[in-house]
Amino acid sequence: MNPNAIVQAEQVTKIYDDGAVPVQALRGVSLTIEPGEFTVIAGPSGSGKTTLLNLLGALDVPTDGRVFFEGQDLAMLSRRERARLRLYKIGFVFQAYNLIPVLTALENVEFVLLLQGVPERERRRRALEVLEQLGIGELAHKRPHEMSGGQQQRVAVARAVVSRPRLVLADEPTANLDSTTGVRLLDLMEQLNREQGVTFVFSSHDPQVIERGRRLLWLRDGRIEREERK
Amino acid sequence: MRFRSVIGLARVAWRNLWRNRRRTLIVLSSVVVGVFVLVLFDTLNTGMVEQMLDNQLRLHIGHVQIHRRGYHANPVVERFFRNADALRQQVAAAPEVRAVAPRVLVHGLLSSAYNNGGVQLVGVAPEAESLVTFIAEQLVAGRYLAAEDPEVLIGERLARKLEVRLGDRVVAMAARPDGQIGSEVFRVVGLFRTVSADFDRTMAFIPIDRARAMLGLPPDAAHELVVLLDDVRQADALKTRLQAGLPDTLEVLTYRDVVPLLVMQRDLYAEMMYLIYLIIGVALIFGIINAMLMAVMERLPEFGVLRALGMSEGRLFLLVSLESLLIGLLGTAIGWALSLPVYAYLARYGLDLAVFSEALAAFGVGSVIYPRLTLRIVWNAWLTIPLVAWLGALYPAWRALHVEPIEAMRAV
């Protein structure tokens, strides 16, 4: 086992057996993510990108093989423990932003800190600080329906990084954005990676995202077809 | 779970309530109506049964009674006690006692020229009696008793039965302790009408000295000392104290001992109200379950996202149940706010149920009911309705817990 790894997958297989025909989404995938990486899991639709991201993010457990987060076997954790791991160690950026519609941008960013039990004044300060750093301080008191898709996704990034997680997983983060907005979002994430050492793992088939990845894992039919490092 | 987290989740829950304003308002309205009905029904019901008991206590029973031992179990004329005036002064010296009155009591017959009827003859010291009971205030014709003269006060209903009017004479007859029949002629000087039809048919008040003379009792004899307290809740304590200081030949009773059925009836009414709470609670809970279930099903993908972000099952459960609890608390507050002015109006002017006056008189209740707000009602309404709202959220919250984060990520 790699002692530096944040997350490590070993011969991971995932079979979805909830339909008429079992679907094998992953076939013996192994990979290691180390601190400071800016990795893109690329591949066509149905290649298993999201499934792999779900397993790395403790949202799901493999059918076979093991996933370790900071050396801890995720299969050994209860649902509650996995939720706690996600809360404190992992940030998520979803394709559809998934901000809480009744909360303002500031409150959305604060929400993770609220779940962590951070005192109100402290979480407000930290949330505002992150929004300012990401250049969207002026959106603090706007609700999601008052923001553009790009703005919402920036707020989602702020929410993902505000608790300083060990790993940020971004599932197709630019899929719903136009190319200009997508570029800006990627600039932002790259900046967070470079200046603050935030570790990012993307799943995407967007060439803009693939182009930025310093490490590329090409997935096809549930297997890592090739790996590139820049 | 830290308190600040609960407060933070309560804020989110509050915002969630107003996502679907119309649905929330409909559920809220049902809670408000439920609380409004409960508060008014319970206060009126409590007022009615308390009035019923109060009427009996202030009409005749008093708060505490002193008799010769055994009289209460078998009230025969020879079970009188002596030194009634001295005893009366002794009891009146207790600080919680407002007034004390002696009585001579005997079952007898009252006859007019046209008819007769069995009555309870009550020999009273007019002035003392007027301080203990409100019989003097219930006169609808004539005047109250004078201390010495052979006069009688009877109820309007008894007067009708005897076919007598003010100024007519009636003959009272009753068994004396020596086995003879004592009798005397009394002039009807006053007619009373109380809230109790039974009382008006069967009670006749005469001066105590005339009663003693008619029955051949010594001049300081009485069958009963009736005590009125400043606060009815002091009855038990006074009973204990008096009993310890009085001769063993006397027994001290509180109104609970004298009219246990009436007290039981009051308690039974209070318990029946729990059934009403249950019925209204059941009616409300289905509406709440329905609304909350719709709210949860619409937001399942969002709950999945919250789970993905690391929200524990406990917190998610809390979030959904807080939404319902807030509806319950808000509805209860509005329900109270609406019912209190109505209560205040009815407490001042009463609810006039004259159309049911005959039936109410049979129960010893006046035709005007005054609601009474008690701590029990405040407590019950504030506890029951929010609890029902919270219970209504249990199943929807349970459904919310079973969302899988990855399903939500696929669905959004």
Side-chain angles (χ1 to χ4, degrees):
Chain A
M1 190 183 302
N2 183 341
N4 294 327
I6 296 175
V7 63
Q8 188 167 0
E10 285 184 353
Q11 292 299 315
V12 166
T13 298
K14 181 69 184 177
I15 301 169
Y16 292 110
D17 199 9
D18 47 359
V21 181
V23 177
Q24 192 159 8
L26 292 175
R27 301 160 192 263
V29 171
S30 296
L31 68 89
T32 300
I33 304 293
E34 293 185 8
E37 283 195 21
F38 199 76
T39 298
V40 178
I41 300 169
S45 294
S47 60
K49 305 187 294 296
T50 298
T51 301
L52 182 55
L53 218 61
N54 290 342
L55 295 177
L56 298 179
L59 289 168
D60 203 358
V61 287
T63 310
D64 204 4
R66 292 193 294 181
V67 179
F68 297 91
F69 197 99
E70 294 183 327
Q72 200 165 24
D73 188 348
L74 295 184
M76 305 304 287
L77 301 182
S78 64
R79 275 164 68 99
R80 184 188 171 86
E81 287 166 331
R82 280 191 283 133
R84 193 171 170 76
L85 177 84
R86 291 195 297 272
L87 178 61
Y88 285 92
K89 307 270 184 172
I90 305 171
F92 290 93
V93 179
F94 306 106
Q95 181 178 333
Y97 332 129
N98 292 345
L99 299 178
I100 302 170
V102 293
L103 302 183
T104 63
L106 180 66
E107 290 163 340
N108 263 287
V109 177
E110 267 187 66
F111 192 74
V112 175
L113 300 176
L114 167 73
L115 295 181
Q116 290 184 355
V118 176
E120 184 173 3
R121 193 172 293 180
E122 167 73 3
R123 64 176 189 253
R124 185 136 295 203
R125 185 189 63 73
R126 281 170 60 181
L128 268 173
E129 193 177 282
V130 170
L131 287 174
E132 293 293 343
Q133 278 174 1
L134 302 190
I136 46 174
E138 77 282 0
L139 300 178
H141 301 293
K142 291 198 170 179
R143 294 207 181 174
H145 67 91
E146 298 170 311
M147 294 185 268
S148 69
Q151 288 171 328
Q152 286 188 58
Q153 197 60 305
R154 280 169 171 248
V155 174
V157 171
R159 178 176 68 181
V161 300
V162 71
S163 65
R164 297 170 196 134
R166 294 276 284 146
L167 176 68
V168 174
L169 299 172
D171 187 21
E172 308 272 9
T174 57
N176 290 351
L177 305 178
D178 60 64
S179 58
T180 312
T181 312
V183 166
R184 280 201 201 130
L185 185 80
L186 290 167
D187 288 345
L188 182 72
M189 291 171 153
E190 220 168 14
Q191 184 189 342
L192 285 167
N193 173 258
R194 204 171 46 245
E195 293 175 2
Q196 296 182 23
V198 179
T199 305
F200 280 94
V201 176
F202 298 86
S203 82
S204 183
H205 55 250
D206 179 355
Q208 288 185 127
V209 179
I210 294 168
E211 191 181 295
R212 300 288 186 105
R214 289 202 295 279
R215 181 185 175 196
L216 287 174
L217 296 165
W218 290 94
L219 219 57
R220 181 176 288 276
D221 299 331
R223 288 194 180 90
I224 295 180
E225 194 179 51
R226 67 176 195 277
E227 182 179 339
E228 296 170 23
R229 286 183 186 266
K230 295 179 187 169
Chain B
M1 198 175 300
R2 290 172 190 156
F3 181 68
R4 54 175 168 256
S5 298
V6 176
I7 296 293
L9 284 179
R11 284 187 195 149
V12 177
W14 176 256
R15 301 257 186 96
N16 283 335
L17 278 187
W18 305 107
R19 287 179 178 214
N20 192 323
R21 195 175 293 261
R22 186 184 299 176
R23 185 164 59 213
T24 298
L25 287 176
I26 288 171
V27 179
L28 195 61
S29 307
S30 67
V31 175
V32 168
V33 170
V35 172
F36 183 82
V37 169
L38 268 181
V39 168
L40 288 182
F41 190 74
D42 204 356
T43 52
L44 279 167
N45 188 56
T46 303
M48 189 179 78
V49 293
E50 292 286 338
Q51 262 172 263
M52 189 165 67
L53 185 60
D54 283 354
N55 287 340
Q56 293 300 317
L57 301 190
R58 290 304 312 276
L59 256 183
H60 195 63
I61 307 296
H63 296 147
V64 172
Q65 293 184 356
I66 300 170
H67 305 129
R68 180 166 153 186
R69 188 166 298 285
Y71 178 82
H72 179 62
N74 184 18
V76 290
V77 68
E78 56 268 31
R79 286 190 176 160
F80 60 87
F81 56 85
R82 306 284 301 267
N83 299 318
D85 287 342
L87 185 61
R88 183 187 161 203
Q89 284 172 16
Q90 183 187 341
V91 173
E96 61 269 59
V97 171
R98 191 191 294 175
V100 187
R103 286 177 185 160
V104 165
L105 301 162
V106 67
H107 288 288
L109 191 71
L110 206 61
S111 307
S112 70
Y114 310 102
N115 211 338
N116 57 53
V119 294
Q120 165 94 71
L121 283 166
V122 186
V124 297
E127 193 181 335
E129 185 71 22
S130 69
L131 298 174
V132 172
T133 63
F134 51 46
I135 192 67
E137 299 157 29
Q138 308 299 307
L139 296 181
V140 289
R143 61 172 174 79
Y144 190 52
L145 292 177
E148 305 292 336
D149 298 334
E151 299 171 347
V152 64
L153 291 183
I154 57 174
E156 239 184 355
R157 289 170 193 264
L158 182 58
R160 271 205 298 274
K161 182 182 174 188
L162 298 178
E163 298 178 52
V164 292
R165 296 179 182 175
L166 285 177
D168 288 352
R169 291 180 179 189
V170 290
V171 177
M173 286 191 291
R176 295 158 45 126
D178 58 10
Q180 302 296 309
I181 297 293
S183 67
E184 183 158 354
V185 177
F186 293 90
R187 186 180 298 280
V188 177
V189 293
L191 301 178
F192 57 81
R193 186 197 304 149
T194 71
V195 293
S196 168
D198 195 41
F199 190 91
D200 295 353
R201 269 194 299 268
T202 57
M203 305 299 279
F205 293 85
I206 56 177
I208 192 167
D209 289 337
R210 291 284 170 181
R212 285 168 178 152
M214 186 181 96
L215 297 171
L217 300 177
D220 59 351
H223 291 106
E224 183 172 278
L225 272 189
V226 187
V227 183
L228 184 73
L229 303 175
D230 287 326
D231 185 347
V232 65
R233 288 171 296 186
Q234 296 166 321
D236 289 326
L238 183 71
K239 173 187 172 179
T240 308
R241 223 172 59 241
L242 285 178
Q243 192 66 75
L246 292 177
D248 200 41
T249 51
L250 297 177
E251 69 177 343
V252 183
L253 305 169
T254 69
Y255 66 96
R256 291 175 197 278
D257 307 316
V258 179
V259 282
L261 281 176
L262 213 55
V263 175
M264 272 174 61
Q265 196 175 356
R266 180 190 63 178
D267 297 344
L268 189 67
Y269 267 109
E271 280 170 25
M272 270 176 58
M273 270 311 299
Y274 288 111
L275 194 64
I276 304 293
Y277 276 84
L278 182 70
I279 291 167
I280 291 187
V282 168
L284 282 180
I285 204 167
F286 286 105
I288 291 169
I289 290 174
N290 185 36
M292 288 306 297
L293 200 56
M294 278 195 283
V296 163
M297 298 311 282
E298 280 170 8
R299 284 155 55 202
L300 279 182
E302 188 178 309
F303 291 143
V305 172
L306 295 178
R307 294 280 292 134
L309 292 178
M311 189 178 219
S312 66
E313 289 176 343
R315 282 202 173 98
L316 185 54
F317 183 87
L318 182 66
L319 180 66
V320 176
S321 52
L322 274 174
E323 290 176 21
S324 191
L325 185 64
L326 285 173
I327 290 184
L329 288 171
L330 182 65
T332 305
I334 297 173
W336 272 102
L338 293 177
S339 59
L340 282 179
V342 181
Y343 167 78
Y345 176 85
L346 292 177
R348 182 166 182 181
Y349 300 106
L351 180 65
D352 193 348
L353 297 175
V355 66
F356 304 117
S357 60
E358 280 296 315
L360 289 167
F363 280 99
V365 185
S367 61
V368 179
I369 306 289
Y370 293 89
R372 189 170 296 181
L373 184 60
T374 64
L375 205 58
R376 175 187 65 79
I377 298 172
V378 175
W379 175 247
N380 279 350
W382 273 104
L383 186 75
T384 310
I385 302 301
L387 180 70
V388 162
W390 182 76
L391 287 174
L394 290 184
Y395 176 63
W398 180 81
R399 287 294 302 266
L401 292 191
H402 285 71
V403 64
E404 282 295 333
I406 53 168
E407 296 299 328
M409 289 170 76
R410 277 185 203 153
V412 175

